[in-house]
């Protein structure tokens, strides 16, 4: 049986007896992914374009971070999109200057929520939509 990946954090789930000689490296990668999900921080510039965050199997990915600080002066209505089918809590800091525009945080197929400039949020993606806790 080959490795699979967890549905939410995309951590490699190794099959028994698999990956002889590389198990330590793969385990360290998984621990780094868990660390990113628990304590990761990334500033995301939203000023000039919508942002789509990615969650990639077994690789450091911006959608895995625990805390996201959204930055920039919005030049139009902007959307930050996280992948569908992932259940995850995000700490989101809206550090943008809205300049009269809106900023929405949502899943690819959901409606999400409008963020207010200067506020901090605990947001929950349920795999279909994003809501505030």
């Amino acid at each position: 049986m080959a490795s699979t990946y967890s549905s939410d954090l995309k951590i490699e789930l190794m099959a028994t007896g698999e990956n002889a000689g590389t198990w330590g490296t793969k385990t360290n990668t998984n621990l780094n992914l868990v660390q990113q999900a628990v304590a990761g921080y990334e500033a995301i510039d939203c000023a000039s374009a919508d942002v789509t965050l990615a969650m990639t199997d077994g690789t450091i990915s911006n959608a895995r971070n625990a805390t996201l600080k959204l930055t920039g002066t919005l030049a139009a209505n902007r959307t930050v999109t996280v992948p569908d089918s992932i259940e995850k809590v995000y700490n989101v800091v809206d550090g943008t200057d809205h300049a009269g525009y809106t900023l929405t945080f949502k899943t690819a197929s959901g409606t999400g929520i409008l963020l207010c400039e200067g506020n901090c949020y605990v947001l929950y993606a349920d795999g279909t939509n994003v809501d505030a806790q």
Side-chain angles (χ1 to χ4, degrees):
M1 182 175 142
S3 290
T4 59
Y5 291 87
S6 66
S7 60
D8 294 324
L9 293 181
K10 306 301 185 186
I11 295 170
E12 186 172 359
L13 305 173
M14 293 177 271
T16 302
E18 185 181 32
N19 300 314
T22 61
W23 203 85
T25 300
K26 290 179 178 275
T27 298
N28 288 342
T29 297
N30 279 341
L31 290 172
N32 283 328
L33 299 178
V34 170
Q35 178 176 309
Q36 184 185 27
V38 171
Y41 167 88
E42 187 165 346
I44 306 287
D45 185 0
C46 303
S48 59
D50 290 341
V51 176
T52 300
L53 303 178
M55 181 80 80
T56 307
D57 287 345
T59 306
I60 296 292
S61 304
N62 55 9
R64 191 177 290 106
N65 286 295
T67 302
L68 301 170
K69 182 174 184 180
L70 308 178
T71 64
T73 299
L74 305 184
N77 292 337
R78 297 290 179 226
T79 301
V80 177
T81 305
V82 296
D84 284 335
S85 303
I86 293 173
E87 295 178 5
K88 181 161 179 5
V89 173
Y90 291 96
N91 301 307
V92 177
V93 179
D94 184 352
T96 65
D97 176 348
H98 284 209
Y101 296 106
T102 62
L103 181 58
T104 302
F105 194 93
K106 66 185 233 43
T107 58
S109 64
T111 56
I113 66 164
L114 286 172
L115 303 180
C116 294
E117 181 179 326
N119 287 347
C120 299
Y121 298 88
V122 176
L123 302 179
Y124 177 71
D126 66 7
T128 304
N129 208 353
V130 172
D131 200 359
Q133 293 294 305

